[in-house]
Amino acid sequence: MLSARAAAASHAASLWKRGGGDVGSGNGCTSCMEVRRRAASVTVRAAPPKRVEAVAMESAAETAQSEKEEVAAAGGAAEEEYGEDKPMEEELPVTPWAFSVASGYTLLRDPHHNKGLAFTEKERDAHYLRGLLPPAVVSQELQVKKIMHDLRQYNVPLQRYVAMMDLQERNERLFYKLLIDNVEELLPVVYTPTVGEACQKYGSIFRRPQGLYVSLRDKGKVLDVLRNWPERNIQVIVVTDGERILGLGDLGCQGMGIPVGKLSLYTALGGVRPSACLPITIDVGTNNEKLLNDEFYIGIRQRRATGEEYHELMEEFMDAVKHIYGEKVLIQFEDFANHNAFDLLAKYSKSHLVFNDDIQGTASVVLAGLLSSLKVVGGTLAEHTYLFLGAGEAGTGIAELIALEISKQTNAPIEECRKKIWLVDSKGLIVNSRENSLQPFKKPWAHDHEPLTTLLDAVESIKPTVLIGTSGVGRTFTKEVVQAMASFNERPIIFSLSNPTSHSECTAEEAYNWTQGRAVFASGSPFDPVEYNGKIHVPGQSNNAYIFPGFGLGVVISGATRVHEDMLLAASETLAEQATQENFDKGSIFPPFTDIRKISAKIAASVAAKAYELGLATRLPRPRDLEKYAESCMYTPIYRSYR
């Protein structure tokens, strides 16, 4: 397009008056569409015959150069396209635009298509890359090897996180190839525990936006905000309002690291196309005084909006998502505070395809861990007694799914099944005498028992076989608590699930040492293997990444319109089936992450099958082999050849 100065020049102006209007008059070429059409036609006429096909792939810079040449031929001056190097007394507005198919310099800066040194000689000639790259041509495998070598030089996890995010913004396929091939090593880098620190410092490490930010300032214009996203075929949205990021509290707008990280796992582990994923942060302010006073904070500097103002924005957002992307887009709520998480899930589960990973995803993977643990400790799910420390989203979500599975196995009423499950919150054991003061989501777990104020008292009184921590408070499974569990259980099941690692209720080393190596242990964040009495114990990680990528893929391939609890149970049962005796011998109740894409395909098939069975699937006819179909739908990051 012409620069402001060139547009003001008489010869250039006459060139653009073919529609009969003046450049700034509102007639002729004032619309963006008209400007693009005419610029494109000028470019094609000016191009030599042998480059006509390449013209369709020119970048904005190449197009601007063609325009300069034509302006010069018409007697005008060939200026830079925005007039940025020669300021004018009166700047005229210009319209930046580019063709959708890139080549040359812009191709190297397009993360979706850039291959770096992996461009072949033929591709370098065809796409005007010769000279823009060093002469060497390397394979994607060698690129992976080099970057892994570079990442291992960093001693600080956050430096690795930043390097990975930079790679994602530079070369998308290489990022996912790297993550898939080294998933066990890099999962803690792109997600927990490192993502927690990344969110805390997001303003300082912010480079460029990786998702959409919907703030209170956009109220009444949310649909327009969504339209600004370049992709239209969105299948999965992960959205947060940043109020309860992991166990770190209110991080406001800087919670964006969570949706970005989750969706990178949807692609790497579940095979959902990157272009079909959309991370979103709802910015309604923050109550974190440290962030409000941080000069690098990137969000709205005000106290968090609540009540009607908050829910009006959320309602506008949910309506806009359904309007622009349809009812088959999966909306995953992530890290909302308890008081909003349950309300939002209940409100929109009947009208939208919604899923809360903190409530439902965590529950599904923990249930899978419990089903797997039974192969080690024996008994049925209904024969065990469960005690939770923490009665928030995760704790009550897990408890409810356990009760549902017990009900499914025994045909007993759900109310009876809940009586096997006890919860301790900050005020002590949840009992009937506290019912009037309990939040609604806690009331189903109030049972007949004398009030107890400490976890140790609850353990000694209830004598659970399973102890699960979702409190978000580190080191609350004390030596006395763990030893009490070991005193009346030959193989105590201890799940220390809070993230990040510093908030874990106990470490793997503590669990094994305090139970003489008898504990069946799992954690939310990764722990290193522990040697006790000459035996190496590899602690299992009860990571939601086992479930939500495959669950999301199953929803997508079936075209499901709603999430049903039976789909979550199907995901849990399928994951539990993947754990083998070899895993148990090492002390782990979960299969290795190296097999995660195969596991995700199996989970996707089970979830899709349940969606078809429940009449919630819309992609018809149903594929005969859902697992093979799931595998065929999974995104692969191998470089594609360009013609």
Coordinates of all heavy atoms in Angstrom, one line a residue, residues 495-540:
F495 N -1.9 -39.5 48.5 CA -1.9 -38.6 47.3 C -1.7 -37.2 47.8 O -2.5 -36.6 48.4 CB -3.1 -38.7 46.5 CG -3.3 -40.0 45.7 CD1 -2.4 -41.0 45.8 CD2 -4.3 -40.1 44.8 CE1 -2.5 -42.2 45.0 CE2 -4.5 -41.3 44.0 CZ -3.6 -42.3 44.1
S496 N -0.5 -36.7 47.4 CA -0.1 -35.3 47.8 C -0.2 -34.4 46.5 O 0.7 -34.4 45.8 CB 1.3 -35.2 48.4 OG 1.7 -33.9 48.6
L497 N -1.4 -33.8 46.3 CA -1.7 -33.3 44.9 C -1.5 -31.8 44.7 O -1.6 -31.4 43.6 CB -3.1 -33.7 44.6 CG -3.5 -35.2 44.7 CD1 -5.0 -35.4 44.4 CD2 -2.6 -36.0 43.7
S498 N -1.3 -31.1 45.7 CA -1.2 -29.6 45.5 C 0.0 -29.2 44.7 O 1.1 -29.7 44.9 CB -1.2 -28.9 46.9 OG -2.5 -29.1 47.5
N499 N -0.2 -28.2 43.9 CA 0.8 -27.6 43.0 C 1.1 -26.1 43.4 O 0.2 -25.5 43.9 CB 0.4 -27.7 41.6 CG 0.4 -29.1 41.0 OD1 1.3 -29.8 41.2 ND2 -0.7 -29.4 40.3
P500 N 2.3 -25.6 43.1 CA 3.5 -26.3 42.6 C 4.1 -27.1 43.7 O 3.6 -27.3 44.8 CB 4.4 -25.2 42.1 CG 4.0 -24.0 43.0 CD 2.5 -24.2 43.2
T501 N 5.4 -27.6 43.5 CA 6.0 -28.5 44.4 C 6.1 -28.0 45.8 O 6.0 -28.7 46.8 CB 7.5 -28.8 43.8 OG1 7.4 -29.2 42.5 CG2 8.1 -29.9 44.6
S502 N 6.4 -26.7 45.9 CA 6.5 -26.1 47.2 C 5.2 -26.1 48.1 O 5.3 -26.0 49.3 CB 7.0 -24.6 47.1 OG 6.0 -23.9 46.4
H503 N 4.1 -26.4 47.4 CA 2.8 -26.4 48.1 C 2.3 -27.9 48.3 O 1.2 -28.1 48.8 CB 1.7 -25.6 47.3 CG 2.0 -24.2 47.4 ND1 0.9 -23.3 47.3 CD2 3.1 -23.4 47.5 CE1 1.4 -22.0 47.4 NE2 2.7 -22.1 47.5
S504 N 3.1 -28.8 47.9 CA 2.8 -30.2 48.1 C 2.7 -30.6 49.5 O 3.5 -30.1 50.4 CB 3.8 -31.1 47.4 OG 3.4 -32.4 47.4
E505 N 1.6 -31.4 49.9 CA 1.4 -31.7 51.3 C 2.5 -32.4 52.0 O 2.8 -32.3 53.2 CB 0.1 -32.5 51.5 CG -1.2 -31.6 51.3 CD -1.6 -31.3 49.9 OE1 -0.9 -31.8 48.9 OE2 -2.5 -30.5 49.7
C506 N 3.2 -33.2 51.2 CA 4.5 -33.9 51.6 C 5.3 -34.3 50.4 O 4.7 -34.4 49.3 CB 4.2 -35.1 52.5 SG 3.5 -36.5 51.7
T507 N 6.5 -34.5 50.5 CA 7.4 -34.9 49.4 C 7.3 -36.5 49.3 O 6.9 -37.2 50.2 CB 8.8 -34.5 49.6 OG1 9.4 -35.2 50.7 CG2 8.9 -33.0 49.9
A508 N 7.8 -36.9 48.1 CA 7.8 -38.4 47.9 C 8.8 -39.0 48.9 O 8.5 -40.1 49.5 CB 8.3 -38.7 46.5
E509 N 9.9 -38.3 49.2 CA 10.9 -38.9 50.1 C 10.3 -39.0 51.5 O 10.5 -40.0 52.2 CB 12.1 -38.0 50.1 CG 13.3 -38.5 51.0 CD 14.5 -37.6 50.9 OE1 14.4 -36.5 50.4 OE2 15.6 -38.1 51.3
E510 N 9.6 -38.0 51.9 CA 8.9 -38.1 53.2 C 7.9 -39.2 53.3 O 7.9 -40.0 54.3 CB 8.2 -36.8 53.6 CG 9.2 -35.6 53.8 CD 8.6 -34.3 53.8 OE1 7.4 -34.1 53.3 OE2 9.2 -33.3 54.4
A511 N 7.1 -39.4 52.3 CA 6.1 -40.4 52.3 C 6.7 -41.8 52.4 O 6.2 -42.7 53.1 CB 5.2 -40.3 51.0
Y512 N 7.8 -42.0 51.6 CA 8.4 -43.4 51.6 C 9.2 -43.6 52.9 O 9.1 -44.7 53.5 CB 9.3 -43.5 50.4 CG 8.6 -43.6 49.1 CD1 8.9 -42.7 48.1 CD2 7.6 -44.5 48.9 CE1 8.2 -42.8 46.8 CE2 6.9 -44.6 47.7 CZ 7.2 -43.7 46.7 OH 6.5 -43.8 45.5
N513 N 9.9 -42.6 53.4 CA 10.7 -42.8 54.6 C 9.8 -43.0 55.8 O 10.1 -43.8 56.7 CB 11.6 -41.6 54.8 CG 12.8 -41.6 53.8 OD1 13.1 -42.6 53.3 ND2 13.4 -40.4 53.6
W514 N 8.7 -42.2 55.9 CA 7.9 -42.3 57.1 C 7.0 -43.5 57.1 O 6.3 -43.8 58.1 CB 7.0 -41.0 57.2 CG 7.8 -39.8 57.5 CD1 9.1 -39.7 58.0 CD2 7.4 -38.4 57.2 NE1 9.5 -38.4 58.1 CE2 8.5 -37.6 57.6 CE3 6.3 -37.8 56.7 CZ2 8.5 -36.2 57.5 CZ3 6.2 -36.5 56.6 CH2 7.3 -35.7 57.0
T515 N 6.9 -44.2 56.0 CA 6.1 -45.5 56.0 C 6.9 -46.7 55.7 O 6.4 -47.8 55.4 CB 5.0 -45.4 54.9 OG1 5.6 -45.2 53.6 CG2 4.1 -44.2 55.1
Q516 N 8.3 -46.6 55.9 CA 9.2 -47.7 55.6 C 9.0 -48.2 54.2 O 9.1 -49.4 54.0 CB 9.0 -48.8 56.6 CG 9.4 -48.4 58.1 CD 8.2 -47.7 58.7 OE1 7.0 -48.1 58.7 NE2 8.5 -46.6 59.4
G517 N 8.8 -47.3 53.3 CA 8.7 -47.7 51.9 C 7.4 -48.4 51.5 O 7.3 -48.9 50.4
R518 N 6.4 -48.4 52.4 CA 5.2 -49.1 52.1 C 4.1 -48.2 51.4 O 3.1 -48.8 50.9 CB 4.6 -49.7 53.4 CG 5.5 -50.8 54.0 CD 4.8 -51.4 55.2 NE 4.9 -50.5 56.4 CZ 3.9 -50.0 57.1 NH1 2.7 -50.3 56.7 NH2 4.1 -49.3 58.2
A519 N 4.3 -46.9 51.4 CA 3.2 -46.1 50.8 C 3.0 -46.3 49.3 O 4.0 -46.5 48.6 CB 3.6 -44.6 51.1
V520 N 1.8 -46.2 48.9 CA 1.4 -46.1 47.5 C 1.2 -44.6 47.3 O 0.2 -44.0 47.7 CB 0.2 -46.9 47.1 CG1 -0.2 -46.7 45.6 CG2 0.4 -48.3 47.4
F521 N 2.2 -43.9 46.6 CA 2.3 -42.5 46.6 C 2.1 -41.9 45.2 O 2.5 -42.5 44.2 CB 3.6 -42.0 47.2 CG 3.9 -40.5 47.2 CD1 3.3 -39.8 48.2 CD2 4.6 -39.9 46.1 CE1 3.5 -38.4 48.2 CE2 4.8 -38.6 46.1 CZ 4.2 -37.8 47.2
A522 N 1.4 -40.8 45.2 CA 1.3 -40.0 43.9 C 1.3 -38.5 44.3 O 0.8 -38.2 45.4 CB 0.1 -40.4 43.1
S523 N 1.8 -37.7 43.4 CA 1.8 -36.2 43.7 C 1.3 -35.5 42.5 O 1.1 -36.0 41.4 CB 3.3 -35.8 44.0 OG 4.1 -36.1 42.9
G524 N 1.0 -34.2 42.7 CA 0.6 -33.3 41.7 C 1.7 -32.8 40.8 O 1.6 -32.8 39.6
S525 N 2.8 -32.4 41.5 CA 4.0 -32.0 40.8 C 5.0 -33.1 40.8 O 5.0 -34.0 41.6 CB 4.6 -30.8 41.4 OG 3.8 -29.6 41.2
P526 N 6.0 -33.1 39.9 CA 6.9 -34.2 39.8 C 7.9 -34.2 40.9 O 8.4 -33.2 41.4 CB 7.6 -34.0 38.4 CG 7.5 -32.5 38.2 CD 6.2 -32.1 38.8
F527 N 8.3 -35.4 41.4 CA 9.4 -35.6 42.3 C 10.3 -36.7 41.8 O 9.9 -37.6 41.0 CB 8.8 -36.2 43.7 CG 8.2 -35.1 44.5 CD1 6.8 -35.1 44.6 CD2 8.9 -34.2 45.2 CE1 6.2 -34.1 45.4 CE2 8.3 -33.2 46.0 CZ 6.9 -33.2 46.1
D528 N 11.6 -36.5 42.1 CA 12.6 -37.5 41.7 C 12.4 -38.8 42.3 O 11.8 -38.9 43.4 CB 14.0 -36.9 42.0 CG 14.4 -35.7 41.2 OD1 13.9 -35.6 40.1 OD2 15.1 -34.9 41.7
P529 N 12.9 -39.9 41.7 CA 12.9 -41.2 42.3 C 13.5 -41.2 43.7 O 14.5 -40.4 44.0 CB 13.6 -42.1 41.3 CG 13.5 -41.4 40.0 CD 13.5 -39.9 40.4
V530 N 13.1 -42.1 44.6 CA 13.6 -42.1 46.0 C 14.1 -43.5 46.3 O 13.4 -44.5 45.9 CB 12.4 -41.8 47.0 CG1 12.9 -42.0 48.4 CG2 11.9 -40.4 46.7
E531 N 15.3 -43.6 46.8 CA 15.8 -44.9 47.2 C 15.5 -45.2 48.7 O 15.8 -44.3 49.6 CB 17.3 -45.0 47.0 CG 17.9 -46.4 47.4 CD 19.4 -46.5 47.1 OE1 19.9 -45.5 46.5 OE2 20.0 -47.5 47.5
Y532 N 14.9 -46.3 49.0 CA 14.7 -46.6 50.4 C 15.0 -48.1 50.6 O 14.4 -49.0 50.0 CB 13.2 -46.3 50.9 CG 13.0 -46.7 52.3 CD1 13.3 -45.7 53.3 CD2 12.5 -47.9 52.7 CE1 13.1 -46.0 54.6 CE2 12.3 -48.2 54.0 CZ 12.6 -47.3 55.0 OH 12.4 -47.6 56.3
N533 N 15.9 -48.3 51.5 CA 16.2 -49.7 51.9 C 16.7 -50.5 50.7 O 16.3 -51.7 50.5 CB 15.0 -50.4 52.6 CG 15.5 -51.3 53.7 OD1 16.6 -51.2 54.2 ND2 14.6 -52.1 54.2
G534 N 17.4 -49.9 49.8 CA 18.0 -50.5 48.6 C 17.0 -50.6 47.4 O 17.4 -51.1 46.4
K535 N 15.8 -50.2 47.6 CA 14.8 -50.2 46.5 C 14.6 -48.8 46.0 O 14.4 -47.9 46.7 CB 13.5 -50.9 46.9 CG 12.5 -51.0 45.8 CD 11.2 -51.7 46.3 CE 10.2 -51.8 45.2 NZ 8.9 -52.4 45.6
I536 N 14.5 -48.7 44.6 CA 14.2 -47.4 44.0 C 12.7 -47.3 43.8 O 12.0 -48.2 43.2 CB 14.9 -47.3 42.6 CG1 16.4 -47.3 42.8 CG2 14.5 -45.9 42.0 CD1 17.0 -46.2 43.6
H537 N 12.1 -46.2 44.3 CA 10.7 -46.0 44.2 C 10.5 -44.8 43.2 O 11.1 -43.7 43.4 CB 10.0 -45.6 45.5 CG 10.1 -46.7 46.5 ND1 9.0 -47.6 46.7 CD2 11.0 -47.0 47.4 CE1 9.4 -48.4 47.7 NE2 10.6 -48.1 48.1
V538 N 9.7 -45.0 42.1 CA 9.5 -43.9 41.2 C 8.1 -43.4 41.4 O 7.1 -44.0 41.1 CB 9.6 -44.4 39.7 CG1 9.3 -43.3 38.7 CG2 10.9 -45.1 39.5
P539 N 8.0 -42.2 42.1 CA 6.6 -41.7 42.4 C 5.8 -41.4 41.2 O 6.3 -40.8 40.3 CB 6.9 -40.5 43.3 CG 8.3 -40.1 42.9 CD 9.0 -41.3 42.5
G540 N 4.6 -41.8 41.2 CA 3.7 -41.4 40.1 C 3.2 -40.0 40.2 O 3.0 -39.4 41.3

